PDB file of all heavy atoms in Angstrom:
ATOM      1  N   ASN A   1     -15.410   0.581  13.160  1.00 97.00           N
ATOM      2  CA  ASN A   1     -14.620  -0.444  13.840  1.00 97.00           C
ATOM      3  C   ASN A   1     -13.218   0.093  14.140  1.00 97.00           C
ATOM      4  O   ASN A   1     -12.213  -0.389  13.611  1.00 97.00           O
ATOM      5  CB  ASN A   1     -14.526  -1.703  12.958  1.00 97.00           C
ATOM      6  CG  ASN A   1     -13.887  -2.873  13.681  1.00 97.00           C
ATOM      7  OD1 ASN A   1     -13.782  -2.890  14.910  1.00 97.00           O
ATOM      8  ND2 ASN A   1     -13.440  -3.867  12.913  1.00 97.00           N
ATOM      9  N   PRO A   2     -13.134   1.114  15.003  1.00 98.00           N
ATOM     10  CA  PRO A   2     -11.860   1.825  15.202  1.00 98.00           C
ATOM     11  C   PRO A   2     -10.773   0.999  15.874  1.00 98.00           C
ATOM     12  O   PRO A   2      -9.607   1.409  15.856  1.00 98.00           O
ATOM     13  CB  PRO A   2     -12.263   3.020  16.071  1.00 98.00           C
ATOM     14  CG  PRO A   2     -13.494   2.572  16.784  1.00 98.00           C
ATOM     15  CD  PRO A   2     -14.225   1.686  15.818  1.00 98.00           C
ATOM     16  N   ASP A   3     -11.106  -0.161  16.469  1.00 97.00           N
ATOM     17  CA  ASP A   3     -10.089  -1.003  17.092  1.00 97.00           C
ATOM     18  C   ASP A   3      -9.544  -2.060  16.129  1.00 97.00           C
ATOM     19  O   ASP A   3      -8.721  -2.890  16.529  1.00 97.00           O
ATOM     20  CB  ASP A   3     -10.655  -1.688  18.337  1.00 97.00           C
ATOM     21  CG  ASP A   3     -10.803  -0.725  19.511  1.00 97.00           C
ATOM     22  OD1 ASP A   3      -9.897   0.126  19.682  1.00 97.00           O
ATOM     23  OD2 ASP A   3     -11.810  -0.818  20.239  1.00 97.00           O
ATOM     24  N   SER A   4      -9.976  -2.017  14.884  1.00 98.00           N
ATOM     25  CA  SER A   4      -9.503  -2.988  13.899  1.00 98.00           C
ATOM     26  C   SER A   4      -7.993  -2.893  13.716  1.00 98.00           C
ATOM     27  O   SER A   4      -7.412  -1.809  13.798  1.00 98.00           O
ATOM     28  CB  SER A   4     -10.205  -2.762  12.556  1.00 98.00           C
ATOM     29  OG  SER A   4      -9.628  -3.571  11.544  1.00 98.00           O
ATOM     30  N   ARG A   5      -7.367  -4.042  13.432  1.00 97.00           N
ATOM     31  CA  ARG A   5      -5.945  -4.067  13.110  1.00 97.00           C
ATOM     32  C   ARG A   5      -5.730  -4.104  11.598  1.00 97.00           C
ATOM     33  O   ARG A   5      -4.639  -4.428  11.130  1.00 97.00           O
ATOM     34  CB  ARG A   5      -5.284  -5.268  13.797  1.00 97.00           C
ATOM     35  CG  ARG A   5      -5.282  -5.163  15.324  1.00 97.00           C
ATOM     36  CD  ARG A   5      -4.483  -6.289  15.958  1.00 97.00           C
ATOM     37  NE  ARG A   5      -5.121  -7.582  15.783  1.00 97.00           N
ATOM     38  CZ  ARG A   5      -6.010  -8.108  16.621  1.00 97.00           C
ATOM     39  NH1 ARG A   5      -6.387  -7.419  17.696  1.00 97.00           N
ATOM     40  NH2 ARG A   5      -6.527  -9.297  16.393  1.00 97.00           N
ATOM     41  N   ARG A   6      -6.779  -3.781  10.856  1.00 97.00           N
ATOM     42  CA  ARG A   6      -6.708  -3.784   9.388  1.00 97.00           C
ATOM     43  C   ARG A   6      -6.890  -2.380   8.809  1.00 97.00           C
ATOM     44  O   ARG A   6      -7.301  -2.223   7.666  1.00 97.00           O
ATOM     45  CB  ARG A   6      -7.773  -4.734   8.819  1.00 97.00           C
ATOM     46  CG  ARG A   6      -7.632  -6.156   9.334  1.00 97.00           C
ATOM     47  CD  ARG A   6      -8.745  -7.057   8.833  1.00 97.00           C
ATOM     48  NE  ARG A   6      -8.612  -8.408   9.375  1.00 97.00           N
ATOM     49  CZ  ARG A   6      -9.453  -9.406   9.115  1.00 97.00           C
ATOM     50  NH1 ARG A   6     -10.479  -9.196   8.304  1.00 97.00           N
ATOM     51  NH2 ARG A   6      -9.266 -10.601   9.657  1.00 97.00           N
ATOM     52  N   LEU A   7      -6.562  -1.377   9.586  1.00 98.00           N
ATOM     53  CA  LEU A   7      -6.737   0.016   9.159  1.00 98.00           C
ATOM     54  C   LEU A   7      -5.501   0.438   8.367  1.00 98.00           C
ATOM     55  O   LEU A   7      -4.630   1.155   8.854  1.00 98.00           O
ATOM     56  CB  LEU A   7      -6.955   0.912  10.381  1.00 98.00           C
ATOM     57  CG  LEU A   7      -8.152   0.534  11.263  1.00 98.00           C
ATOM     58  CD1 LEU A   7      -8.158   1.369  12.540  1.00 98.00           C
ATOM     59  CD2 LEU A   7      -9.467   0.704  10.508  1.00 98.00           C
ATOM     60  N   MET A   8      -5.426  -0.019   7.125  1.00 98.00           N
ATOM     61  CA  MET A   8      -4.230   0.146   6.318  1.00 98.00           C
ATOM     62  C   MET A   8      -4.572   0.617   4.907  1.00 98.00           C
ATOM     63  O   MET A   8      -5.669   0.357   4.403  1.00 98.00           O
ATOM     64  CB  MET A   8      -3.459  -1.181   6.219  1.00 98.00           C
ATOM     65  CG  MET A   8      -3.051  -1.764   7.550  1.00 98.00           C
ATOM     66  SD  MET A   8      -2.350  -3.432   7.383  1.00 98.00           S
ATOM     67  CE  MET A   8      -0.884  -3.057   6.437  1.00 98.00           C
ATOM     68  N   VAL A   9      -3.610   1.299   4.277  1.00 98.00           N
ATOM     69  CA  VAL A   9      -3.693   1.681   2.864  1.00 98.00           C
ATOM     70  C   VAL A   9      -2.363   1.283   2.225  1.00 98.00           C
ATOM     71  O   VAL A   9      -1.297   1.591   2.758  1.00 98.00           O
ATOM     72  CB  VAL A   9      -3.945   3.193   2.694  1.00 98.00           C
ATOM     73  CG1 VAL A   9      -3.795   3.611   1.230  1.00 98.00           C
ATOM     74  CG2 VAL A   9      -5.338   3.556   3.205  1.00 98.00           C
ATOM     75  N   ASN A  10      -2.439   0.611   1.076  1.00 98.00           N
ATOM     76  CA  ASN A  10      -1.250   0.059   0.432  1.00 98.00           C
ATOM     77  C   ASN A  10      -1.122   0.604  -0.977  1.00 98.00           C
ATOM     78  O   ASN A  10      -2.092   0.628  -1.732  1.00 98.00           O
ATOM     79  CB  ASN A  10      -1.357  -1.469   0.394  1.00 98.00           C
ATOM     80  CG  ASN A  10      -0.063  -2.144  -0.008  1.00 98.00           C
ATOM     81  OD1 ASN A  10       0.956  -1.486  -0.240  1.00 98.00           O
ATOM     82  ND2 ASN A  10      -0.086  -3.458  -0.088  1.00 98.00           N
ATOM     83  N   ALA A  11       0.073   1.068  -1.347  1.00 98.00           N
ATOM     84  CA  ALA A  11       0.310   1.557  -2.706  1.00 98.00           C
ATOM     85  C   ALA A  11       1.188   0.611  -3.520  1.00 98.00           C
ATOM     86  O   ALA A  11       1.436   0.867  -4.692  1.00 98.00           O
ATOM     87  CB  ALA A  11       0.967   2.945  -2.663  1.00 98.00           C
ATOM     88  N   TRP A  12       1.656  -0.481  -2.913  1.00 98.00           N
ATOM     89  CA  TRP A  12       2.573  -1.404  -3.589  1.00 98.00           C
ATOM     90  C   TRP A  12       1.753  -2.486  -4.297  1.00 98.00           C
ATOM     91  O   TRP A  12       1.557  -3.583  -3.781  1.00 98.00           O
ATOM     92  CB  TRP A  12       3.542  -2.015  -2.591  1.00 98.00           C
ATOM     93  CG  TRP A  12       4.688  -2.735  -3.242  1.00 98.00           C
ATOM     94  CD1 TRP A  12       4.795  -4.070  -3.476  1.00 98.00           C
ATOM     95  CD2 TRP A  12       5.890  -2.154  -3.746  1.00 98.00           C
ATOM     96  NE1 TRP A  12       5.977  -4.356  -4.092  1.00 98.00           N
ATOM     97  CE2 TRP A  12       6.677  -3.191  -4.274  1.00 98.00           C
ATOM     98  CE3 TRP A  12       6.383  -0.845  -3.808  1.00 98.00           C
ATOM     99  CZ2 TRP A  12       7.936  -2.984  -4.844  1.00 98.00           C
ATOM    100  CZ3 TRP A  12       7.628  -0.635  -4.376  1.00 98.00           C
ATOM    101  CH2 TRP A  12       8.382  -1.688  -4.885  1.00 98.00           C
ATOM    102  N   ASN A  13       1.266  -2.166  -5.470  1.00 97.00           N
ATOM    103  CA  ASN A  13       0.461  -3.088  -6.271  1.00 97.00           C
ATOM    104  C   ASN A  13       1.405  -3.814  -7.233  1.00 97.00           C
ATOM    105  O   ASN A  13       1.784  -3.284  -8.275  1.00 97.00           O
ATOM    106  CB  ASN A  13      -0.608  -2.314  -7.038  1.00 97.00           C
ATOM    107  CG  ASN A  13      -1.569  -3.211  -7.782  1.00 97.00           C
ATOM    108  OD1 ASN A  13      -1.260  -4.362  -8.078  1.00 97.00           O
ATOM    109  ND2 ASN A  13      -2.752  -2.690  -8.085  1.00 97.00           N
ATOM    110  N   VAL A  14       1.783  -5.046  -6.889  1.00 96.00           N
ATOM    111  CA  VAL A  14       2.810  -5.753  -7.662  1.00 96.00           C
ATOM    112  C   VAL A  14       2.385  -5.994  -9.105  1.00 96.00           C
ATOM    113  O   VAL A  14       3.231  -6.122  -9.998  1.00 96.00           O
ATOM    114  CB  VAL A  14       3.189  -7.094  -6.992  1.00 96.00           C
ATOM    115  CG1 VAL A  14       3.855  -6.845  -5.658  1.00 96.00           C
ATOM    116  CG2 VAL A  14       1.953  -7.981  -6.814  1.00 96.00           C
ATOM    117  N   GLY A  15       1.070  -6.033  -9.351  1.00 94.00           N
ATOM    118  CA  GLY A  15       0.589  -6.262 -10.704  1.00 94.00           C
ATOM    119  C   GLY A  15       0.691  -5.051 -11.605  1.00 94.00           C
ATOM    120  O   GLY A  15       0.508  -5.169 -12.828  1.00 94.00           O
ATOM    121  N   GLU A  16       0.985  -3.881 -11.018  1.00 95.00           N
ATOM    122  CA  GLU A  16       1.028  -2.650 -11.816  1.00 95.00           C
ATOM    123  C   GLU A  16       2.339  -1.886 -11.688  1.00 95.00           C
ATOM    124  O   GLU A  16       2.476  -0.792 -12.226  1.00 95.00           O
ATOM    125  CB  GLU A  16      -0.151  -1.732 -11.445  1.00 95.00           C
ATOM    126  CG  GLU A  16      -1.500  -2.331 -11.781  1.00 95.00           C
ATOM    127  CD  GLU A  16      -2.669  -1.385 -11.520  1.00 95.00           C
ATOM    128  OE1 GLU A  16      -2.504  -0.434 -10.716  1.00 95.00           O
ATOM    129  OE2 GLU A  16      -3.734  -1.600 -12.107  1.00 95.00           O
ATOM    130  N   LEU A  17       3.318  -2.439 -10.979  1.00 96.00           N
ATOM    131  CA  LEU A  17       4.579  -1.726 -10.771  1.00 96.00           C
ATOM    132  C   LEU A  17       5.241  -1.350 -12.089  1.00 96.00           C
ATOM    133  O   LEU A  17       5.813  -0.256 -12.216  1.00 96.00           O
ATOM    134  CB  LEU A  17       5.540  -2.576  -9.942  1.00 96.00           C
ATOM    135  CG  LEU A  17       5.185  -2.804  -8.472  1.00 96.00           C
ATOM    136  CD1 LEU A  17       6.231  -3.690  -7.820  1.00 96.00           C
ATOM    137  CD2 LEU A  17       5.053  -1.487  -7.721  1.00 96.00           C
ATOM    138  N   ASP A  18       5.184  -2.254 -13.077  1.00 94.00           N
ATOM    139  CA  ASP A  18       5.864  -1.975 -14.341  1.00 94.00           C
ATOM    140  C   ASP A  18       5.172  -0.907 -15.168  1.00 94.00           C
ATOM    141  O   ASP A  18       5.722  -0.433 -16.169  1.00 94.00           O
ATOM    142  CB  ASP A  18       6.010  -3.258 -15.162  1.00 94.00           C
ATOM    143  CG  ASP A  18       4.678  -3.896 -15.514  1.00 94.00           C
ATOM    144  OD1 ASP A  18       3.639  -3.495 -14.936  1.00 94.00           O
ATOM    145  OD2 ASP A  18       4.657  -4.799 -16.377  1.00 94.00           O
ATOM    146  N   GLN A  19       3.964  -0.496 -14.759  1.00 94.00           N
ATOM    147  CA  GLN A  19       3.254   0.560 -15.469  1.00 94.00           C
ATOM    148  C   GLN A  19       3.478   1.937 -14.828  1.00 94.00           C
ATOM    149  O   GLN A  19       3.042   2.948 -15.361  1.00 94.00           O
ATOM    150  CB  GLN A  19       1.752   0.261 -15.486  1.00 94.00           C
ATOM    151  CG  GLN A  19       1.378  -1.072 -16.117  1.00 94.00           C
ATOM    152  CD  GLN A  19      -0.090  -1.397 -15.893  1.00 94.00           C
ATOM    153  OE1 GLN A  19      -0.962  -0.535 -16.031  1.00 94.00           O
ATOM    154  NE2 GLN A  19      -0.371  -2.640 -15.551  1.00 94.00           N
ATOM    155  N   MET A  20       4.130   1.961 -13.670  1.00 96.00           N
ATOM    156  CA  MET A  20       4.343   3.202 -12.934  1.00 96.00           C
ATOM    157  C   MET A  20       5.636   3.871 -13.376  1.00 96.00           C
ATOM    158  O   MET A  20       6.632   3.196 -13.633  1.00 96.00           O
ATOM    159  CB  MET A  20       4.405   2.930 -11.427  1.00 96.00           C
ATOM    160  CG  MET A  20       3.193   2.236 -10.848  1.00 96.00           C
ATOM    161  SD  MET A  20       3.431   1.893  -9.083  1.00 96.00           S
ATOM    162  CE  MET A  20       2.006   0.864  -8.730  1.00 96.00           C
ATOM    163  N   VAL A  21       5.640   5.199 -13.433  1.00 94.00           N
ATOM    164  CA  VAL A  21       6.861   5.913 -13.770  1.00 94.00           C
ATOM    165  C   VAL A  21       7.919   5.704 -12.695  1.00 94.00           C
ATOM    166  O   VAL A  21       9.119   5.731 -12.963  1.00 94.00           O
ATOM    167  CB  VAL A  21       6.565   7.414 -13.974  1.00 94.00           C
ATOM    168  CG1 VAL A  21       6.196   8.095 -12.671  1.00 94.00           C
ATOM    169  CG2 VAL A  21       7.748   8.115 -14.612  1.00 94.00           C
ATOM    170  N   LEU A  22       7.466   5.446 -11.461  1.00 93.00           N
ATOM    171  CA  LEU A  22       8.368   5.174 -10.345  1.00 93.00           C
ATOM    172  C   LEU A  22       7.606   4.349  -9.312  1.00 93.00           C
ATOM    173  O   LEU A  22       6.537   4.762  -8.867  1.00 93.00           O
ATOM    174  CB  LEU A  22       8.855   6.480  -9.705  1.00 93.00           C
ATOM    175  CG  LEU A  22       9.848   6.370  -8.555  1.00 93.00           C
ATOM    176  CD1 LEU A  22      11.193   5.848  -9.056  1.00 93.00           C
ATOM    177  CD2 LEU A  22      10.023   7.706  -7.857  1.00 93.00           C
ATOM    178  N   PRO A  23       8.113   3.168  -8.935  1.00 96.00           N
ATOM    179  CA  PRO A  23       7.442   2.395  -7.885  1.00 96.00           C
ATOM    180  C   PRO A  23       7.380   3.208  -6.593  1.00 96.00           C
ATOM    181  O   PRO A  23       8.274   4.017  -6.332  1.00 96.00           O
ATOM    182  CB  PRO A  23       8.332   1.161  -7.726  1.00 96.00           C
ATOM    183  CG  PRO A  23       9.086   1.057  -9.006  1.00 96.00           C
ATOM    184  CD  PRO A  23       9.301   2.470  -9.464  1.00 96.00           C
ATOM    185  N   PRO A  24       6.353   3.016  -5.777  1.00 97.00           N
ATOM    186  CA  PRO A  24       6.177   3.841  -4.578  1.00 97.00           C
ATOM    187  C   PRO A  24       7.378   3.769  -3.633  1.00 97.00           C
ATOM    188  O   PRO A  24       7.820   2.680  -3.278  1.00 97.00           O
ATOM    189  CB  PRO A  24       4.927   3.250  -3.920  1.00 97.00           C
ATOM    190  CG  PRO A  24       4.211   2.538  -5.012  1.00 97.00           C
ATOM    191  CD  PRO A  24       5.273   2.025  -5.933  1.00 97.00           C
ATOM    192  N   CYS A  25       7.895   4.934  -3.256  1.00 97.00           N
ATOM    193  CA  CYS A  25       8.946   4.986  -2.231  1.00 97.00           C
ATOM    194  C   CYS A  25       8.318   4.820  -0.852  1.00 97.00           C
ATOM    195  O   CYS A  25       8.822   4.074  -0.015  1.00 97.00           O
ATOM    196  CB  CYS A  25       9.710   6.302  -2.317  1.00 97.00           C
ATOM    197  SG  CYS A  25      10.666   6.489  -3.821  1.00 97.00           S
ATOM    198  N   HIS A  26       7.224   5.536  -0.593  1.00 98.00           N
ATOM    199  CA  HIS A  26       6.444   5.314   0.637  1.00 98.00           C
ATOM    200  C   HIS A  26       5.261   4.449   0.216  1.00 98.00           C
ATOM    201  O   HIS A  26       4.337   4.887  -0.441  1.00 98.00           O
ATOM    202  CB  HIS A  26       6.012   6.634   1.281  1.00 98.00           C
ATOM    203  CG  HIS A  26       5.459   7.663   0.351  1.00 98.00           C
ATOM    204  ND1 HIS A  26       4.103   7.913   0.224  1.00 98.00           N
ATOM    205  CD2 HIS A  26       6.075   8.511  -0.504  1.00 98.00           C
ATOM    206  CE1 HIS A  26       3.915   8.866  -0.666  1.00 98.00           C
ATOM    207  NE2 HIS A  26       5.088   9.253  -1.125  1.00 98.00           N
ATOM    208  N   TYR A  27       5.322   3.177   0.579  1.00 97.00           N
ATOM    209  CA  TYR A  27       4.461   2.191  -0.064  1.00 97.00           C
ATOM    210  C   TYR A  27       3.222   1.802   0.728  1.00 97.00           C
ATOM    211  O   TYR A  27       2.405   1.015   0.256  1.00 97.00           O
ATOM    212  CB  TYR A  27       5.263   0.929  -0.407  1.00 97.00           C
ATOM    213  CG  TYR A  27       5.916   0.246   0.782  1.00 97.00           C
ATOM    214  CD1 TYR A  27       5.228  -0.690   1.556  1.00 97.00           C
ATOM    215  CD2 TYR A  27       7.236   0.525   1.115  1.00 97.00           C
ATOM    216  CE1 TYR A  27       5.826  -1.312   2.628  1.00 97.00           C
ATOM    217  CE2 TYR A  27       7.854  -0.098   2.177  1.00 97.00           C
ATOM    218  CZ  TYR A  27       7.144  -1.022   2.936  1.00 97.00           C
ATOM    219  OH  TYR A  27       7.744  -1.642   4.008  1.00 97.00           O
ATOM    220  N   GLY A  28       3.050   2.343   1.919  1.00 98.00           N
ATOM    221  CA  GLY A  28       1.847   2.007   2.669  1.00 98.00           C
ATOM    222  C   GLY A  28       1.832   2.699   4.018  1.00 98.00           C
ATOM    223  O   GLY A  28       2.865   3.166   4.503  1.00 98.00           O
ATOM    224  N   PHE A  29       0.635   2.767   4.611  1.00 98.00           N
ATOM    225  CA  PHE A  29       0.538   3.317   5.955  1.00 98.00           C
ATOM    226  C   PHE A  29      -0.574   2.613   6.724  1.00 98.00           C
ATOM    227  O   PHE A  29      -1.487   2.020   6.140  1.00 98.00           O
ATOM    228  CB  PHE A  29       0.329   4.833   5.944  1.00 98.00           C
ATOM    229  CG  PHE A  29      -0.980   5.315   5.370  1.00 98.00           C
ATOM    230  CD1 PHE A  29      -2.095   5.507   6.173  1.00 98.00           C
ATOM    231  CD2 PHE A  29      -1.084   5.613   4.014  1.00 98.00           C
ATOM    232  CE1 PHE A  29      -3.294   5.977   5.649  1.00 98.00           C
ATOM    233  CE2 PHE A  29      -2.276   6.077   3.473  1.00 98.00           C
ATOM    234  CZ  PHE A  29      -3.384   6.259   4.299  1.00 98.00           C
ATOM    235  N   GLN A  30      -0.461   2.661   8.040  1.00 98.00           N
ATOM    236  CA  GLN A  30      -1.419   2.039   8.943  1.00 98.00           C
ATOM    237  C   GLN A  30      -1.776   3.041  10.027  1.00 98.00           C
ATOM    238  O   GLN A  30      -0.932   3.843  10.443  1.00 98.00           O
ATOM    239  CB  GLN A  30      -0.811   0.779   9.575  1.00 98.00           C
ATOM    240  CG  GLN A  30      -1.722   0.044  10.552  1.00 98.00           C
ATOM    241  CD  GLN A  30      -1.068  -1.232  11.085  1.00 98.00           C
ATOM    242  OE1 GLN A  30       0.037  -1.589  10.686  1.00 98.00           O
ATOM    243  NE2 GLN A  30      -1.750  -1.932  11.985  1.00 98.00           N
TER     244      GLN A  30
END
């Protein structure tokens, strides 16, 4: 489905930010 507008990857998981050594600086891409 190459015309989808949902072609995204997200690294900003709010439920796990406090477990990360550093919250993501680059937090997602489309």
Side-chain angles (χ1 to χ4, degrees):
N1 188 17
D3 286 321
S4 172
R5 294 186 292 271
R6 302 176 182 179
L7 302 172
M8 302 172 65
V9 170
N10 191 2
W12 192 263
N13 186 338
V14 294
E16 296 185 339
L17 291 179
D18 60 348
Q19 302 171 43
M20 303 177 189
V21 69
L22 182 68
C25 294
H26 45 102
Y27 59 86
F29 66 91
Q30 180 177 357

